[in-house]
Every structure is written in C-alpha cells, then in structure tokens.
Amino acid sequence: MVTVFVALGANLQQPQQQIMQAAQALATLAEGDSFKLSPCYRSVPMGDVEQPDYVNAVACFDTSLPPLELLDALQAIENNQGRVRILHWGPRTLDLDLLLYGQQHIKLPRLTVPHYGMKLRSFVLVPLFDIAPKLILPCGTALTDLVTQSLRDELQLLSPQ
Ligand code: ROI
C-alpha cells in the first residue's frame, strides 16, 4: 500500500462541480477511509493559451493499485467526464495528474513521478500543503519550504459547493 497525491484541475462546464464529481470517483480507489480532498482554489491559467480560469484541488489517499493501473483509473475518470483535449495546454473539463506515488521516482513512457511541474505551480503546492503540511518530497525538500505567501496570493480560495 502507498499514499498517493493527485492534482485535479478543470476550467470548462462548471469546473468546481467537475472537481467534486472527480473527487467522488477518486474516493472509490482509496483504501479504508484514507481519502482526503483539499479546498478548491480559483487560479489564473498557466501557459500562453487564452482560456477561462481554472479550479484546482489536490487529493490524497492510500491505494494498492500499481502506478500504471492507477494512471489508467485516472484517465478513465477523465474520459468519463467528457475530457477532450483539443489543444496542448488548452482548456479541459478535467485534468488528473499523479503528483506523488509514495516516495518513488518513476520514469516510464506514459508516466513521470514526481510530476515534473509540481514544484513551480502555486495551484498544486498550496492545496497540497493544506492536506499534507508536513510532507517531504522524494527529492528531500520539505513542502513547507516551497509554499510562500506570494504563491498563496496567486490563488482565490473558493467556498465549498
Ligand atoms: N493552469 C492552471 N491555473 N491550472 C491548471 O490546472 C492548469 N493545467 C494545465 C495548464 C494548461 C498548464 N495550465 C493550468 O494543464
């Protein structure tokens, strides 16, 4: 069994509802009552594509699924919520990124863990900190050393729906 962290992002078709629906689906992958979901945040889109603001959150749970089976399960949830990817870095109804799989480093054609961009993204680090303030990343960095007030200021905390 490992503890995994998954980033959720959506910016189309009632994004906060997309996140809550995805969280329910993710919870079915969790062992016991291990499932946790951060608050949702509104964030300005990263990248050059003009698109609506995102809603982002992070989930954490224990699972006995191996990495690629977990990835398949995440992609099935994305597809079930009507994900179509028209543009690389473009808008989407739901994006689920596997951030961390225990303390493992994984490099496969389909999957790189830890997620390559996570240490630079306020919309990942801040909700991750909400649910795991004491987390040490596999590279040895303490999450608390990465989460600054200026990162928090980039996000708008949303009320629960
Ligand atoms: N920007 C924000 N704010 N949130 C995301 O989840 C997100 N996801 C992406 C890109 C297009 C990189 N930008 C994003 O995939």
Side-chain angles (χ1 to χ4, degrees), residues 29-151:
L29 306 176
E31 295 283 339
D33 62 356
S34 62
F35 186 80
K36 272 191 228 148
L37 181 69
S38 75
C40 288
Y41 291 89
R42 182 176 304 285
S43 65
V44 169
M46 189 182 126
D48 293 333
V49 179
E50 186 145 333
Q51 54 183 317
D53 282 354
Y54 277 81
V55 176
N56 287 109
V58 170
C60 165
F61 55 94
D62 297 340
T63 182
S64 42
L65 288 175
L68 288 179
E69 282 180 38
L70 177 59
L71 182 65
D72 287 339
L74 300 183
Q75 290 179 349
I77 295 169
E78 289 176 341
N79 294 336
N80 184 45
Q81 289 186 224
R83 172 166 173 156
V84 271
R85 191 199 288 253
I86 299 147
L87 285 176
H88 186 61
W89 280 38
R92 64 281 309 276
T93 49
L94 180 64
D95 192 20
L96 297 177
D97 287 333
L98 182 54
L99 298 173
L100 298 172
Y101 187 89
Q103 289 289 316
Q104 292 190 30
H105 289 270
I106 301 169
K107 201 148 183 44
L108 296 168
R110 285 181 63 207
L111 179 65
T112 301
V113 173
H115 187 274
Y116 70 96
M118 65 177 286
K119 283 162 80 176
L120 302 170
R121 296 182 176 187
S122 57
F123 56 86
V124 171
L125 294 175
V126 171
L128 182 60
F129 184 80
D130 289 336
I131 54 172
K134 296 182 179 156
L135 187 69
I136 309 289
L137 300 178
C139 64
T141 302
L143 182 59
T144 185
D145 291 338
L146 298 176
V147 177
T148 57
Q149 188 58 43
S150 71
L151 283 189

